[in-house]
Amino acid sequence: MRAAVLREYGEELAIRDVPEPEPGPDDAVVRVDACGVCRSDWHAWKGHGEWADDRVPRGQVLGHEPAGEVVAVGDAVDRFSPGDRVVVPFSLGDGTCPHCRRGHGNVCADGNALGFEPDAPGAFAERVAVPRADYNLVERPPWLPARDAAALGCRYMTAYHALVERAGVGGGDRVAVHGCGGVGLSAVQIAAAVGARVIAVDLDDDALSRAVELGAAEAVLPEESDSVPERVRSLTDGGVDVSVDALGIAETCRNSVRSVRPRGTHVQVGLTTEAERGEVSLPTDWMTRWEVSFLGARGMPPTNYEDLFALVESTGIDPGVLVTRELELDEVSDRLAAMDDYGVRGVEVVTEF
């Protein structure tokens, strides 16, 4: 089968024929009908993460936002059969550890990150293997096409987990989103859907216009003479309840922290780059004085997808509107390179393998 393989960091991916996966007793194999191209793939492609012992090795098949159809299952799999339409989370738990049993499989110590580790080859491929399928696989609702499910598969569910499950955002809250790429626009749409007033912050006019279309009440375009936190605080009478850094550079992280009200919450979603190497200095004395909370959010537990699907269906929000481009597998390298200069708008999805 065809797959996109990381040969060298920052270089064109190799489109190769690799062996098709075979399911172990607890596993499933999924035909990939669509797979999003995410900034986390860009981090992997650039070789980031060495500072956190999280660098993706050369030879890895990338891709972590797949949706498709089950084509084979192991003898011990009970919940799924060939022909089932599914979404594959990238946070793959073992299903048995204390975190998994408590509903937090996204932080499973013995889990795998799809597309980022040798034990979990990714989904820029015609087929992908899913370990411990009964725990990790998610049935796809009939109303959710594969392309839209791929858009939902990482950025959307990450935004949902960050806002709703980690920060508890609800009706009447004020939320700032710093960085309006794929995960940022997802956060705007979800926060607005649950009744929050959203302030979108970005350096790009088109991204901000898109954020307003998706539900942002205010748009902040930083200028050299402006302080982003001051702008956000002036728009919200003293600061937002929840602020999200959806980009991961030092400036957006600090701006996000400084945008919250007393006893407000910052949520870190974006991963850092080579410039920060996993470390950002913060105004800790100020945070202590005003009892500001700092939360991390990574993906979403596989067991929580039903809640996300229920929100999407009940509110009528459409993850598919975030999709700006459908790709062939051979185009992935060029689209990753475009992320060097933030040249990707919304969510791009591979639909031709």
Side-chain angles (χ1 to χ4, degrees):
M1 69 173 186
R2 278 164 45 91
V5 180
L6 176 65
R7 297 180 301 127
E8 295 291 340
Y9 301 119
E11 300 293 333
E12 186 174 355
L13 299 176
I15 307 300
R16 295 178 180 163
D17 284 326
V18 302
E20 291 192 9
E22 296 288 339
D26 299 312
D27 307 339
V29 174
V30 174
R31 184 193 70 220
V32 181
D33 293 330
C35 185
V37 182
C38 176
R39 192 164 178 82
S40 295
D41 297 310
W42 175 82
H43 282 288
W45 177 68
K46 296 292 283 188
H48 294 164
E50 182 181 11
W51 46 86
D53 193 27
D54 196 31
R55 196 180 204 185
V56 174
R58 295 177 182 88
Q60 179 73 29
V61 178
L62 298 183
H64 66 286
E65 298 183 334
E69 182 177 303
V70 175
V71 294
V73 297
D75 293 341
V77 175
D78 294 325
R79 295 183 54 230
F80 295 93
S81 302
D84 289 345
R85 295 157 32 104
V86 293
V87 176
V88 184
F90 79 86
S91 299
L92 303 172
D94 67 11
T96 63
C97 78
H99 298 301
C100 288
R101 292 199 302 270
R102 293 171 183 152
H104 308 304
N106 59 319
V107 295
C108 175
D110 294 320
N112 297 114
L114 183 72
F116 300 105
E117 303 173 29
D119 289 340
F124 290 152
E126 294 179 278
R127 283 170 171 72
V128 64
V130 183
R132 298 168 292 278
D134 280 339
Y135 180 77
N136 289 309
L137 261 188
V138 177
E139 184 179 359
R140 181 156 45 100
W143 46 264
L144 186 62
R147 187 203 72 156
D148 297 358
L152 179 150
C154 168
R155 282 157 283 191
Y156 214 83
M157 58 90 155
T158 295
Y160 174 83
H161 177 62
L163 290 170
V164 177
E165 297 180 343
R166 292 291 282 146
V169 170
D173 285 338
R174 297 163 298 177
V175 174
V177 177
H178 299 257
C180 294
V183 71
L185 291 176
S186 301
V188 167
Q189 197 177 30
I190 289 169
V194 299
R197 179 188 174 205
V198 184
I199 294 90
V201 184
D202 201 280
L203 290 170
D204 185 83
D205 279 314
D206 290 339
L208 288 177
S209 297
R210 189 70 170 133
V212 171
E213 291 174 6
L214 294 171
E218 304 281 355
V220 173
L221 180 70
E223 299 177 6
E224 288 188 10
S225 59
D226 285 345
S227 162
V228 168
E230 287 179 3
R231 291 275 303 280
V232 173
R233 294 169 76 86
S234 70
L235 290 169
T236 55
D237 192 26
V240 293
D241 300 284
V242 175
S243 190
V244 179
D245 175 16
L247 185 57
I249 64 174
E251 184 178 11
T252 54
C253 178
R254 286 194 285 264
N255 283 345
S256 177
V257 168
R258 286 282 195 179
S259 296
V260 304
R261 62 165 175 78
R263 307 200 81 242
T265 298
H266 162 85
V267 187
Q268 188 64 36
V269 170
L271 299 174
T272 63
T273 69
E274 186 72 33
E276 295 83 14
R277 295 184 63 83
E279 301 283 344
V280 175
S281 62
L282 297 172
T284 53
D285 289 351
W286 180 85
M287 294 167 69
T288 300
R289 169 66 181 87
W290 299 111
E291 295 193 345
V292 170
S293 298
F294 188 109
L295 300 177
R298 176 184 184 271
M300 188 176 77
T303 48
N304 292 8
Y305 268 76
E306 290 301 323
D307 295 334
L308 174 57
F309 291 151
L311 175 68
V312 171
E313 188 172 26
S314 64
T315 60
I317 55 178
D318 180 9
V321 302
L322 300 179
V323 178
T324 55
R325 187 168 178 172
E326 295 186 33
L327 308 172
E328 297 181 5
L329 186 62
D330 306 73
E331 297 179 85
V332 171
S333 295
D334 288 343
R335 303 317 298 155
L336 291 174
M339 294 183 186
D340 283 349
D341 299 314
Y342 305 100
V344 173
R345 301 289 180 266
V347 175
E348 298 187 347
V349 179
V350 180
T351 55
E352 295 290 335
F353 294 88

